[in-house]
Amino acid sequence: MKRVLTIQDISCLGKCSLTIALPVISALGAETVILPTAVLSTHTMFRNFTCKDLSDQIEPIAAHWKSEGVAFDAIYTGYLGTAEQVDQIKELFRNFRGEDTVIIVDPVMADNGKLYPAFDMDYVKKNAELCAEADIIVPNITEASLMTGMEYREEYDESYVKELLARLNELGAGISVLTGVSLEKGKTGVMGYERETGEYYIYQNRRIDAAYHGTGDLFSSTCVGQILRGLNWRDAMRIAADYTAHTIEVTLQNPDKPWYGVDFEATIPELLAMK
Ligand code: PXL
């Protein structure tokens, strides 16, 4: 069985980060080892959330794993907590990166043109450093524009997206994938660039007029799980985009839906059948 380490916060209530990554990647058949970077009562879209930073646990936990001879087929990072943690995680990459370990970085820090409440430009700079260490990065357009210094636009065309991808590529990852890319009215999806082949990949599916928290994490976790299942990155992104869109649609139909996250629990059986 493949084994992945995922490093992100645990928001006890809120359906995001580890409470999505753990069930989704496990359901897709990989052993999912977790390293929580912080524990929050809820995600940061709630008011008055509590937050306990767990930076001081990263090194002892990693040292223990090292002494146990643990190895990972993939390492996947999401929402962290502080800029200082990036250096700790870079060190962890150095210690656990084997020849075939795939490193996937989702630099979770912003959306819709704005940084999340906990972050500043120093955090953005550190996330760009983390992206440099990755095999695959999956920022949204806001995160990409912040990390590359390119203007954030709500309306754009393919040449803007290609320029963003070119600048992301310069950060250093082998495959750069932009999420939330809308190239036609009523559609949204992803556009990626692979350095080795110089090829672009575009996938667009229907755009659903609803924004839910945690959907970026659902997309990334699905990609990670599918890559560990042996799919190539393009198929993994396509399935992840379809699954995320479908889950938003199913959530919208639930009269008792929570406001803070999507009903991915209801759609996991369908995910397992997606090709
Ligand atoms: O879904 C991204 C995310 C993860 N973790 C926490 C968050 C957010 C987005 O706001 O607040 C704590």
Side-chain angles (χ1 to χ4, degrees):
M1 184 180 287
K2 298 275 187 181
R3 181 187 295 127
V4 54
L5 165 62
T6 182
I7 310 173
Q8 347 190 3
D9 75 280
I10 187 149
S11 292
C12 301
L13 167 74
K15 304 205 208 193
C16 68
S17 40
L18 282 182
T19 61
I20 284 187
L22 187 51
V24 169
I25 304 172
S26 298
L28 286 168
E31 178 185 348
T32 310
V33 178
I34 62 166
L35 182 47
T37 53
V39 57
L40 293 87
S41 52
T42 62
H43 61 55
T44 60
M45 297 298 128
F46 284 78
R47 274 190 285 165
N48 305 322
F49 60 87
T50 69
C51 179
K52 169 84 176 156
D53 178 71
L54 297 176
S55 300
D56 66 354
Q57 296 302 301
I58 294 175
E59 279 158 23
I61 289 173
H64 180 211
W65 289 338
K66 202 73 202 168
S67 73
E68 293 286 332
V70 180
F72 300 109
D73 298 291
I75 305 177
Y76 155 44
T77 70
Y79 185 109
L80 305 174
T82 63
E84 294 72 41
Q85 278 179 353
V86 171
D87 290 323
Q88 294 178 298
I89 290 166
K90 279 162 64 180
E91 176 66 18
L92 190 145
F93 285 174
R94 276 190 284 279
N95 280 325
F96 287 94
R97 177 175 230 155
E99 230 169 81
D100 297 321
T101 309
V102 183
I103 297 194
I104 300 143
V105 169
D106 184 356
V108 180
M109 57 188 161
D111 206 359
N112 302 311
K114 279 203 288 256
L115 273 170
Y116 291 147
F119 303 134
D120 57 17
M121 283 312 285
D122 189 37
Y123 190 74
V124 172
K125 240 177 76 191
K126 294 304 281 187
N127 266 276
E129 283 179 25
L130 200 62
C131 285
E133 309 273 330
D135 296 297
I136 305 177
I137 58 172
V138 287
N140 60 34
I141 291 186
T142 306
E143 289 153 352
S145 68
L146 285 165
M147 288 193 295
T148 60
M150 229 174 111
E151 179 197 3
Y152 170 76
R153 287 201 206 146
E154 303 226 313
E155 310 235 319
Y156 49 78
D157 56 12
E158 196 176 309
S159 68
Y160 170 79
V161 182
K162 278 191 165 168
E163 174 68 23
L164 254 184
L165 282 171
R167 296 210 199 173
L168 279 178
N169 179 52
E170 281 168 21
L171 294 181
I175 296 169
S176 301
V177 177
L178 271 168
T179 62
V181 173
S182 180
L183 292 171
E184 272 175 71
K185 209 158 179 261
K187 302 223 157 174
T188 191
V190 297
M191 183 162 174
Y193 176 76
E194 183 172 37
R195 162 138 13 92
E196 199 180 312
T197 58
E199 281 174 14
Y200 290 96
Y201 173 68
I202 301 180
Y203 183 67
Q204 298 278 284
N205 61 5
R206 63 211 174 278
R207 182 193 186 99
I208 305 135
D209 219 7
Y212 271 107
H213 223 66
T215 49
D217 302 334
L218 191 63
F219 173 86
S220 304
S221 299
T222 306
C223 289
V224 171
Q226 296 293 2
I227 285 169
L228 287 163
R229 264 183 151 181
L231 267 66
N232 65 52
W233 67 273
R234 296 171 178 80
D235 288 341
M237 302 290 154
R238 174 179 52 76
I239 291 175
D242 284 344
Y243 175 57
T244 306
H246 176 62
T247 302
I248 296 171
E249 281 172 341
V250 166
T251 305
L252 282 170
Q253 285 157 19
N254 173 6
D256 301 321
K257 58 182 171 287
W259 65 266
Y260 50 77
V262 286
D263 288 345
F264 70 94
E265 301 89 338
T267 53
I268 283 185
E270 289 157 273
L271 169 62
L272 302 189
M274 281 179 156
K275 287 201 176 86

